[in-house]
Every structure is written in structure tokens, then in C-alpha cells.
């Protein structure tokens, strides 16, 4: 099989997928009937999901800009999901074209969309690897990852709105190998839904995801703090995503944004 001949991929469009549901919240077109049905069930319980998705995306953009301006030139984006609304490599390479980005996801549909992504801007400095975020040791050792990511140099590991979809593992156990593999000056970026407030809506949304065969769990701030063991939190710490170094006036109703975001630096 040549570089341009790709194997067929079973998209399993009859089963809802969190990445495609997220795409639907953002107004994208890369979703199917099963995704829309599941997303509408979640939106019926919590219409604010669209605002949460937008603010999460804005948080990612602000973090990437901050880290690139701080000198980071390599990003490992785990659980990257579908390419949508300015990806990490687009934001980073706009500032520093030499920045290297590796996206990792375990769903084959991400690879399908990544082929189009890699055919455009950033080709050669951006790669996509199919792997499971539960096995970060394997990701670190993956030759395809190491073609672009040098773990002896500072890097940023992105876990943006993904750890909630690993309900059967302690998130700090997933992060620990990544922390140990990165040098001083490396960064960890996390956003995660919380059950610290609007608990009934959060539980209803979790139920909608469970019915869609995409189990999810919201965690409390104290649980998210443990993810950053071994890191020094950048100001303002673990906060609702619109409050992490906003570009201007914070406009959303914060009571509706039950998503925390934070960035930690390995000393």
C-alpha cells in the first residue's frame, strides 16, 4: 500500500461518538444522525452545552497562544477529536511556523478527517496517531510520536475535554507517565467538566452520554487538582474556562459553564 492509498475505515455512524457530538454543539457538519439524536438529548438537559463547548475551544486557543509565546515549540494533543474551528497546529504555527504538533485519538474517524488536515497548511510539522489515551506509556514510546516530539525538550501535553471519557481510570494515573517523561519546563493543559455546581444538569448529561454508549464522568475540583501532582499551576489556577487569562471582558453566564481549565508547569 502506498502513502496515498489508505485502508477503509468503519466510521460506525449508527453509534453516537463524543467527538461528533462536540462538533454538533459547535455548529459543525461532521456528525451523523445518531450523534445529533444523542446531542439533542444532552442539550435538552443542559442547553448551555453549546456555550461550554465554545468556551472550551476559546480556552484552548488562549492557552496555545500563551505557550507558544512562552517558547513552546511542540505540542502533544491527546484525545484530539475531530479537526474543528482552528486547531492547535493552526493557532501555534501562525505565531511560530516551526512548531511541531502530534494529535492522538483512538477513533478511526479522526484519521479520516486528519488526512484532509495534513494535506494543507502545516504538512510535515503535524501528524496524527491512532492510539488510546489510557495507555500513555505506549504513546510516549510510539515511533510516530517520537518522529516529531522530542521528550528531552519542553513540550505541552494537551488533555482538553477528554479525561471525562475515561471514567474507569484515575486521571492522575494517565498523566503520571507523561509528567515523568517530560523535562523541566514542560506543560500540562487540562479542561474537565465538573459536578461542583449545576449537579442535576451534569448528571442528566452524563446519563445521555451513557445511553449513547459514550460513558462520561464529571469530577470535582479536588479530583482535578490531583491531576496536576508534580506540576506548578500557572495563575489563575484551576478556574472555569472563561476565567483562564481572558482576552477581554468575560461575557458568558459563569453559572452555566461547568467546565474547569488549568495549565501546569513541571518545575
Amino acid at each position: 500500500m502506498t502513502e496515498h492509498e489508505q485502508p477503509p475505515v468503519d466510521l460506525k455512524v449508527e453509534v453516537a461518538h463524543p467527538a461528533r457530538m462536540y462538533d454538533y454543539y459547535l455548529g459543525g457538519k461532521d456528525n451523523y444522525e445518531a450523534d445529533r439524536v444523542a446531542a439533542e438529548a444532552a442539550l435538552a438537559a443542559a442547553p448551555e452545552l453549546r456555550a461550554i463547548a465554545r468556551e472550551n475551544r476559546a480556552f484552548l486557543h488562549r492557552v496555545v497562544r500563551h505557550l507558544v509565546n512562552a517558547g513552546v515549540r511542540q505540542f502533544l494533543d491527546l484525545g484530539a477529536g475531530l479537526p474543528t474551528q482552528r486547531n492547535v497546529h493552526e493557532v501555534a504555527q501562525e505565531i511560530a511556523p516551526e512548531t511541531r504538533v502530534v494529535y492522538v485519538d483512538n477513533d478511526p474517524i479522526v484519521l479520516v478527517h486528519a488526512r484532509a488536515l495534513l494535506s494543507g497548511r502545516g504538512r510535515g510539522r503535524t501528524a496524527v496517531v491512532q492510539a488510546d489515551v489510557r495507555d500513555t506509556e505506549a504513546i510516549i514510546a510510539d515511533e510516530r510520536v517520537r518522529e516529531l516530539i522530542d521528550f528531552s525538550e519542553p513540550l505541552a501535553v494537551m488533555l482538553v475535554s477528554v479525561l471525562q471519557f475515561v471514567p474507569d481510570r484515575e486521571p492522575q494515573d494517565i498523566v503520571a507517565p507523561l509528567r515523568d517523561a517530560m523535562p523541566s519546563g514542560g506543560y500540562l493543559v487540562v479542561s474537565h467538566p465538573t459536578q461542583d455546581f449545576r449537579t442535576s444538569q451534569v448528571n442528566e448529561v452524563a446519563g445521555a452520554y451513557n445511553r449513547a454508549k459514550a460513558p462520561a464522568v464529571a469530577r470535582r475540583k479536588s479530583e482535578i487538582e490531583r491531576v496536576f501532582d508534580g506540576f506548578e499551576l500557572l495563575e489563575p489556577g484551576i478556574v472555569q474556562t472563561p476565567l483562564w487569562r481572558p482576552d477581554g471582558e468575560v461575557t458568558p453566564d459563569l453559572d452555566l459553564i461547568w467546565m474547569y481549565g488549568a495549565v501546569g508547569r513541571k518545575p
Side-chain angles (χ1 to χ4, degrees), residues 102 111 145:
V102 175
L111 300 185
V145 173

Side-chain angles (χ1 to χ4, degrees), residues 34-206:
D35 308 307
R36 293 188 285 271
V37 169
E40 284 294 343
L43 285 165
E48 65 267 23
L49 280 172
R50 292 191 189 278
I52 291 172
R54 289 193 300 269
E55 291 299 330
N56 186 63
R57 202 69 188 168
F59 164 76
L60 180 148
H61 293 164
R62 294 196 304 276
V63 168
V64 171
R65 288 196 298 269
H66 172 79
L67 294 181
V68 173
N69 287 327
V72 175
R73 293 296 182 268
Q74 47 180 2
F75 289 80
L76 182 59
D77 189 354
L78 303 183
L82 289 167
T84 182
Q85 294 198 5
R86 286 178 55 75
N87 299 285
V88 171
H89 77 285
E90 293 171 311
V91 176
Q93 292 170 1
E94 204 168 68
I95 302 170
E98 70 275 18
T99 302
R100 307 184 303 279
V101 180
V102 175
Y103 297 105
V104 178
D105 204 281
N106 70 339
D107 194 88
I109 191 173
V110 173
L111 300 185
V112 173
H113 288 269
R115 291 168 191 161
L117 179 151
L118 292 178
S119 68
R121 182 181 178 191
R123 185 174 179 84
R125 297 181 302 275
T126 308
V128 178
V129 173
Q130 186 175 1
D132 197 317
V133 71
R134 293 175 178 84
D135 193 354
T136 44
E137 290 182 348
I139 292 171
I140 293 165
D142 194 301
E143 291 182 1
R144 298 163 298 175
V145 173
R146 287 189 171 268
E147 284 178 3
L148 286 184
I149 301 296
D150 182 349
F151 284 91
S152 69
E153 298 178 359
L155 72 148
V157 173
M158 316 286 290
L159 284 160
V160 175
S161 193
V162 63
L163 289 173
Q164 68 265 31
F165 297 115
V166 192
D168 56 341
R169 292 279 304 279
E170 292 295 332
Q172 60 266 30
D173 293 341
I174 291 173
V175 168
L178 295 161
R179 178 199 61 217
D180 295 344
M182 70 170 63
S184 174
Y187 292 87
L188 174 68
V189 181
V190 173
S191 67
H192 199 299
T194 182
Q195 53 182 311
D196 283 348
F197 47 96
R198 293 184 70 81
T199 306
S200 62
Q201 287 89 345
V202 173
N203 289 338
E204 287 185 51
V205 170

